[in-house]
């Protein structure tokens, strides 16, 4: 069975890897994606939703034909390197989320049929698998280049850094 679910997130590809910015509407997902496009030459593949699927033991994000208010959607994919949960703040800060907290922030952003218990349990299993295999960070940030620079420091110090060069 294919592990697949939909996450409310802006989806960019940077240096061949997928980066997701997840948050409720109006929190700055598209803004962060646009900043990465402007300052890091990232490609925005979707401004509002990403389909996430386990493929060859690795999670991949796929652009979807729904773009929300950004109007940006491309039928392309990338392996997911990281997820940033976005929150507006008066200054930039970042921290890795432990699994229970990551699930608390991501679950409301997953498209689920809450009336279908079996479907709900399946999606929760997929979400737990995803959140244990992909690093999830809280990025409290300003809508400016400094937020991009802070997020990049996390990417530069991850164990698989060589894949980014």
């Amino acid at each position: 069975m294919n592990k697949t679910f939909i996450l409310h997130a802006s989806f960019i590809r940077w240096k061949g890897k997928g980066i997701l910015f997840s948050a409720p509407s109006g929190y700055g997902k598209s803004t962060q994606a646009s900043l990465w496009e402007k300052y890091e030459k990232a490609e925005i593949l979707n401004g509002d939703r990403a389909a996430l699927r386990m493929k060859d033991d690795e999670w991949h994000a796929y652009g979807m034909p729904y773009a929300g208010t950004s109007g940006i959607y491309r039928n392309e994919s990338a392996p997911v390197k990281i997820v940033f949960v976005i929150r507006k703040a008066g200054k930039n800060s970042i921290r890795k989320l432990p699994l229970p907290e990551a699930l608390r922030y991501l679950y409301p952003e997953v498209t689920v049929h809450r009336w279908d218990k079996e479907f709900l349990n399946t999606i929760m299993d997929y979400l737990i698998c995803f959140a244990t295999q992909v690093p999830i960070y809280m990025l409290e940030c300003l809508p400016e280049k400094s937020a991009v620079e802070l997020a990049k420091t996390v990417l530069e110090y991850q164990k698989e850094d060589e894949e980014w060069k």
Side-chain angles (χ1 to χ4, degrees), residues 7-8 24 87 102-111 114 127:
L7 183 66
H8 184 215
R87 292 295 183 266
L103 294 173
R104 188 182 84 194
Y105 286 110
L106 292 181
Y107 174 73
E109 305 309 321
V110 174
T111 301
R114 287 174 173 77
L127 183 59

Side-chain angles (χ1 to χ4, degrees), residues 6 8-9 25 45-50 63-74:
I6 298 171
H8 184 215
S25 297
L45 300 184
N46 194 289
D48 198 62
R49 298 267 192 270
M64 297 188 55
Y66 179 82
T69 58
S70 74
I72 300 169
Y73 58 95
R74 291 171 48 187

Side-chain angles (χ1 to χ4, degrees), residues 4-159:
T4 306
F5 65 96
I6 298 171
L7 183 66
H8 184 215
S10 288
F11 165 35
I12 66 170
R13 183 170 50 208
W14 183 66
K15 296 186 177 184
K17 301 292 182 179
I19 299 173
L20 302 172
F21 301 100
S22 185
S25 297
Y27 277 61
K29 297 179 305 295
S30 296
T31 299
Q32 287 302 312
S34 294
L35 289 168
W36 278 78
E37 179 182 49
K38 179 178 180 179
Y39 295 114
E40 292 296 322
K41 310 275 188 273
E43 304 167 85
I44 302 174
L45 300 184
N46 194 289
D48 198 62
R49 298 267 192 270
L52 301 173
R53 180 178 182 200
M54 175 65 79
K55 178 181 172 188
D56 300 325
D57 296 324
E58 183 176 38
W59 285 97
H60 291 256
Y62 296 82
M64 297 188 55
Y66 179 82
T69 58
S70 74
I72 300 169
Y73 58 95
R74 291 171 48 187
N75 186 18
E76 297 182 36
S77 67
V80 180
K81 180 69 172 179
I82 197 165
V83 176
F84 293 108
V85 173
I86 301 296
R87 292 295 183 266
K88 295 178 183 178
K91 66 177 186 172
N92 295 322
S93 67
I94 195 165
R95 65 184 173 88
K96 190 168 192 319
L97 294 176
L99 181 61
E101 193 174 359
L103 294 173
R104 188 182 84 194
Y105 286 110
L106 292 181
Y107 174 73
E109 305 309 321
V110 174
T111 301
V112 295
H113 306 294
R114 287 174 173 77
W115 63 88
D116 184 338
K117 203 173 247 190
E118 183 179 334
F119 179 78
L120 180 60
N121 288 335
T122 299
I123 294 300
M124 280 305 300
D125 289 344
Y126 295 171
L127 183 59
I128 290 167
C129 179
F130 177 78
T132 56
Q133 294 180 4
V134 175
I136 315 291
Y137 282 80
M138 172 65 70
L139 176 60
E140 296 177 313
C141 57
L142 297 162
E144 57 189 37
K145 183 180 181 180
S146 60
V148 174
E149 294 300 323
L150 179 60
K152 272 180 54 181
T153 63
V154 169
L155 295 168
E156 290 167 357
Y157 291 105
Q158 284 187 338
K159 290 179 184 177

